[in-house]
Amino acid sequence: GDSVTQMEGPVTLSEEAFLTINCTYTATGYPSLFWYVQYPGEGLQLLLKATKADDKGSNKGFEATYRKETTSFHLEKGSVQVSDSAVYFCAPVNFGNEKLTFGTGTRLTIIP
Amino acid sequence: EAQVTQNPRYLITVTGKKLTVTCSQNMNHEYMSWYRQDPGLGLRQIYYSMNVEVTDKGDVPEGYKVSRKEKRNFPLILESPSPNQTSLYFCASSLAGAHNEQFFGPGTRLTVL
């Protein structure tokens, strides 16, 4: 089945620092790749996605590129803000496989 | 407002006392699912449903039941709760399948004593 390995947290950064959260996956075929974010006290919400190789998903200053050759979908942001403090989840999803497998999540804390 | 609602938001109960956590969505979504979130384990899928009367097991279905009699509702049933089911539970829905954007409810924090 599909599986995903995420960078272990927690990650603590200063405001305006550069962020990378690593995500690698194991899946058959060509999965769609998602990053979800969970702000404190809330459910998850979609941050960005990419559906085919070399696609770049972007939203709220975050970016991730679908790298089929390395089976990775690393999340990046050039300058983080305190409001980015949250837990981030990576998820590969194969069309036709209706199970959803999330990574363990990476807790990010941004210090002013 | 398009949303997924869960009730109750918080519940403390005792071992063996049957309980139901309700989930309802107003977006006419076909796909609905339940997850539990535990520290260090992330989010794990319990059950999912592709449509009315169609349900299937996720990765951790033991000790749980679900039903999908109506498109908008997908209750999670714990027939005989045990302390290892203490967790934060999330319901989610999407238009058609896991590969579409999932919309999550606010969560239900369950404690089983």
Side-chain angles (χ1 to χ4, degrees), chain B residues 40-109:
Chain B
L41 297 176
L43 215 65
R44 294 178 292 169
Q45 193 174 45
I46 303 171
Y47 269 95
Y48 62 94
S49 170
M50 292 294 296
N51 214 323
V52 175
E53 303 292 1
V54 180
T55 64
D56 213 339
K57 295 177 181 178
D59 291 321
V60 289
E62 295 77 20
Y64 304 94
K65 285 175 56 177
V66 293
S67 69
R68 189 91 182 271
K69 293 186 171 62
E70 305 165 283
K71 198 171 188 178
R72 64 183 293 128
N73 296 323
F74 191 47
L76 179 70
I77 304 154
L78 284 71
E79 295 269 5
S80 183
S82 62
N84 64 11
Q85 293 178 298
T86 292
S87 187
L88 180 58
Y89 291 86
F90 288 99
C91 180
S93 71
S94 71
L95 195 57
H99 56 281
N100 292 117
E101 177 182 359
Q102 302 295 307
F103 292 83
F104 283 80
T108 294
R109 185 167 291 282

Side-chain angles (χ1 to χ4, degrees), chain A residues 12-56:
Chain A
T12 303
L13 295 172
S14 297
E15 207 165 19
E16 300 183 3
F18 184 87
L19 168 71
T20 300
I21 299 178
N22 291 337
C23 170
T24 57
Y25 65 91
T26 302
T28 55
Y30 296 88
S32 295
L33 302 174
F34 297 80
W35 276 102
Y36 282 84
V37 59
Q38 183 182 29
Y39 297 106
E42 298 183 11
L44 281 69
Q45 56 186 272
L46 179 67
L47 179 61
L48 55 82
K49 70 176 184 181
T51 56
K52 60 183 188 296
D54 299 326
D55 263 5
K56 179 184 285 188

